[in-house]
Amino acid sequence: MSRLLRTSEVTRRPVVTLAGQDVAQIKDVVFSAGGGAVIGFTLAGRGLFSGPLNQALPWASVMALGPDAVMIRHEEVFAPSATVLDGSASSVGSGGDVLGSQVLTESGTELGTVVDVILETAEAGGGHCDVVGYEVAASEKLGTNGTRVFIPLPDTLAASSEHLIVPDSATRFVAHDLAGFGAAVKAFRHELEGPT
Amino acid sequence: MSWWVWLVVGVVVITVVLVGLLIVQMRRRRGGAIVNQSQSTGDRGLGDEQAAADL
Amino acid sequence: MRFSEAAGRKVVSTSTAGTVGQIDGFVVDPQTHSLVALTVKKSRHGDTLLWSSVTAFGVDAVTVQAADAITKCNDAVAALSGKDRRMIGKRVLNTGGEDLGAVTDADFDPATGRLTTLRLESGDIDGERLVAIGSYAAVVHRDA
């Protein structure tokens, strides 16, 4: 059983050790361009005056991505940020952040701008965590100007902080609520895999 | 020095502190979703299943 | 016995029959799920009463052999006491990262000092499920 959640729900969530200490909070979700697998999280300190940390939390060290906290075994599982971020992301200030970038189809139609990223993760902690789609503030091309819709992603995706490319057929699997989105992702990927 | 000098100094100090706080908050910034171009498929995290099993 | 009932109970010396202190709080070792010590106020000897020094935890009083059963805090107890380790009022997280609410009270076995139940507004949790108590939260095992 898996569930879908927005990255905005995950960011700012406290990172808590099994000893019950809140050692950090989630800043960004970092995912792989090939496959959409979540690689890890960048971290910010807890408390009003603390800024971003130069340490990151690799996904492999996450015990549970819970609704109220991200559980880890102990603080020693943190790794230097470079292990989850590639060079391009750390050299530019907001480099690699897909929030706010334009969604383009392969044929060059702009569908809207990304306002959130949808993750799929196993119900019980551990297991995989993948980016499966985007929540997009739709342009008029989708016929629903200004509303927010969910666009599924294929298994592989091309993304930068400027543009995200999705196959043309993705537009046929747009969902208007998160509840119906899980099925849309499945149907979409099934179609991509199957002979057309 | 007259009283208004102290008033001006006070206002300046408060402004500097507020701006500092704002900068810290900006640095924390609303979380994002960063795409990592160099990581390829196949290397999917498995989660700390060992730790979960230890419990 | 509940923490809330037991707090404030007087500590009586069986050798002099005099009151030597009053129970203030509880020091829990999450590893063993049991009480290791009680914190005591109104004592001239110190503020810590090790569970091993308690003769009996009665309904009306806690008895000890002598007034000097109450000692100064030792390092082992200090590591488990303090504001960060206090259980009552603390947020409870399970190992799945779900917030279960705050601990309102807890039950222990007066004979053995075992922590039997954590009481939360959302329901009771078996004391055996406690993993650790930290500054942010008390961590408990997820439901089996």
Side-chain angles (χ1 to χ4, degrees):
Chain A
M1 197 50 210
S2 62
R3 70 195 149 102
L4 298 176
L5 66 165
R6 294 178 168 92
T7 52
S8 62
E9 295 171 45
V10 179
T11 53
R12 290 182 149 177
R13 222 171 255 185
V15 178
V16 181
T17 64
L18 279 189
Q21 314 281 11
D22 53 337
V23 287
Q25 66 183 35
I26 302 292
K27 185 161 161 274
D28 308 290
V29 177
V30 185
F31 63 99
S32 145
V38 169
I39 298 160
F41 305 100
T42 63
L43 302 170
R46 297 285 290 166
L48 195 59
F49 296 98
S50 45
L53 304 179
N54 52 14
Q55 292 207 295
L57 173 61
W59 172 252
S61 303
V62 173
M63 276 186 61
L65 182 59
D68 305 295
V70 178
M71 304 302 291
I72 59 170
R73 212 196 296 221
H74 44 66
E75 209 177 338
E76 280 80 72
V77 302
F78 289 165
S81 298
T83 55
V84 299
L85 294 170
D86 61 5
S88 65
S90 46
S91 58
V92 195
S94 66
D97 193 348
V98 297
L99 296 187
S101 48
Q102 285 183 344
V103 181
L104 285 178
T105 63
E106 276 167 348
S107 58
T109 311
E110 193 210 318
L111 300 179
T113 52
V114 177
V115 291
D116 218 331
V117 176
I118 310 300
L119 303 172
E120 184 191 53
T121 181
E123 197 75 64
H128 72 106
C129 184
D130 291 328
V131 170
V132 293
Y134 299 120
E135 184 174 7
V136 167
S139 69
E140 64 272 26
K141 305 294 188 329
L142 272 170
T144 48
N145 200 5
T147 60
R148 292 188 166 197
V149 297
F150 298 93
I151 298 179
L153 288 184
D155 229 355
T156 53
L157 60 138
S160 72
S161 50
E162 203 180 351
H163 293 120
L164 299 170
I165 309 295
V166 297
D168 292 1
S169 57
T171 54
R172 286 191 288 112
F173 294 93
V174 163
H176 293 272
D177 57 83
L178 205 50
F181 187 58
V185 171
K186 274 204 194 75
F188 175 59
R189 290 195 172 172
H190 184 73
E191 187 191 85
L192 287 176
E193 282 162 15
T196 42
Chain B
M1 277 191 282
S2 49
W3 63 271
W4 57 267
V5 176
W6 294 108
L7 187 73
V8 168
V9 168
V11 167
V12 165
V13 166
I14 289 167
T15 313
V16 166
V17 167
L18 280 180
V19 167
L21 259 178
L22 269 176
I23 289 171
V24 168
Q25 291 302 319
M26 287 292 281
R27 268 157 64 82
R28 280 160 74 90
R29 149 177 100 77
R30 193 172 68 94
I34 296 175
V35 67
N36 184 326
Q37 306 287 356
S38 64
Q39 296 259 344
S40 60
T41 2
D43 184 29
R44 295 197 172 178
L46 265 177
D48 202 345
E49 283 171 337
Q50 189 53 48
D54 283 351
L55 286 170
Chain C
M1 190 179 289
R2 293 212 188 179
F3 278 24
S4 58
E5 290 172 52
R9 200 156 291 182
K10 59 191 176 186
V11 181
V12 177
S13 157
T14 52
S15 55
T16 63
T19 300
V20 293
Q22 192 180 13
I23 301 298
D24 188 32
F26 306 88
V27 182
V28 176
D29 183 354
Q31 226 113 58
T32 59
H33 315 109
S34 51
L35 295 176
V36 288
L38 305 158
T39 55
V40 174
K41 58 187 178 187
K42 296 178 185 166
S43 167
R44 277 177 285 116
H45 293 271
D47 59 0
T48 304
L49 172 58
L50 292 178
W51 184 263
S52 53
S53 308
V54 172
T55 307
F57 210 112
V59 185
D60 300 304
V62 178
T63 54
V64 294
Q65 294 243 297
D68 59 10
I70 297 166
T71 56
K72 298 244 164 21
C73 192
N74 68 25
D75 288 348
V77 172
L80 294 170
S81 55
K83 197 164 158 283
D84 282 356
R85 299 286 175 273
R86 195 174 304 157
M87 201 166 61
I88 305 299
K90 187 138 289 178
R91 172 195 290 107
V92 178
L93 282 179
N94 70 14
T95 49
E98 282 173 81
D99 193 334
L100 305 177
V103 180
T104 53
D105 208 341
D107 290 9
F108 67 100
D109 181 342
T112 60
R114 258 192 121 58
L115 185 70
T116 52
T117 316
L118 301 183
R119 292 182 185 271
L120 278 65
E121 252 161 54
S122 61
D124 293 354
I125 296 177
D126 191 342
E128 289 289 316
R129 279 169 57 195
L130 185 65
V131 178
I133 304 170
S135 58
Y136 182 74
V139 180
V140 297
H141 284 294
R142 209 194 322 222
D143 285 304

